[in-house]
Amino acid sequence: MTDKSKVFVYPKDVSAFGFDWGRLSLTVAPEVNGATRFSGGVVDLPFGKGHTRHNHPGAEEIIFVISGNGEQMVEDEDGNPVVEKVGPGCTIYVPESRFHSTLNTGDGPMQLFVVYSPAGPELALRDLPDFRLLPPGGK
């Protein structure tokens, strides 16, 4: 791949998935730069917001906390919620198909980088009732 616009991607340069709880800007995905084995991007959670319990059937997820503080829930293999306070530098592993949720409990915005493997489960977010497609650089 020689097109550097597809190799070096900033969240502001791609359309974003907007929701009442925040936004997801996919910076790595088949439709963005041809990634085939995973997808990923930046999640912005405003103060007091978060995404509710959900899962990605058939996919694993990595969540890396860039900034802010929150509570992360990942269910154990028996379906029991395990909740932990998380902050900058924390990596959360969500096993395949496992239910999880994130809540910004800090005093400002929270930013995450998420990776899905295989690529694709994030596209189901388009079916949520509060989904809206935001143009590049849009709010």
Side-chain angles (χ1 to χ4, degrees), residues 2 6 30 59 82 84 88 96-98 104 116-117 121 124 128 131:
T2 57
K6 295 180 187 257
V82 177
E84 192 73 31
E96 182 179 339
S97 305
R98 198 74 56 87
N104 177 352
Y116 307 97
S117 179
L128 295 176
F131 169 81

Side-chain angles (χ1 to χ4, degrees), residues 56-62 93-97 115-118 121:
H56 307 287
E60 296 175 292
E61 183 176 359
I62 297 168
Y93 168 62
V94 182
E96 182 179 339
S97 305
V115 177
Y116 307 97
S117 179

Side-chain angles (χ1 to χ4, degrees), residues 14 33 39 55 61 129 135:
V14 295
N33 41 23
S39 58
N55 73 340
E61 183 176 359

Side-chain angles (χ1 to χ4, degrees), residues 73-121:
M73 186 280 292
V74 178
E75 289 185 353
D76 67 17
E77 55 278 352
D78 296 320
N80 301 307
V82 177
V83 179
E84 192 73 31
K85 292 190 181 304
V86 296
C90 184
T91 300
I92 300 105
Y93 168 62
V94 182
E96 182 179 339
S97 305
R98 198 74 56 87
F99 282 92
H100 58 285
S101 63
T102 309
L103 177 64
N104 177 352
T105 59
D107 55 5
M110 185 177 192
Q111 191 171 62
L112 314 169
F113 188 81
V114 297
V115 177
Y116 307 97
S117 179

Side-chain angles (χ1 to χ4, degrees), residues 59-71:
E60 296 175 292
E61 183 176 359
I62 297 168
I63 303 170
F64 179 79
V65 181
I66 297 170
S67 62
N69 294 283
E71 284 186 356

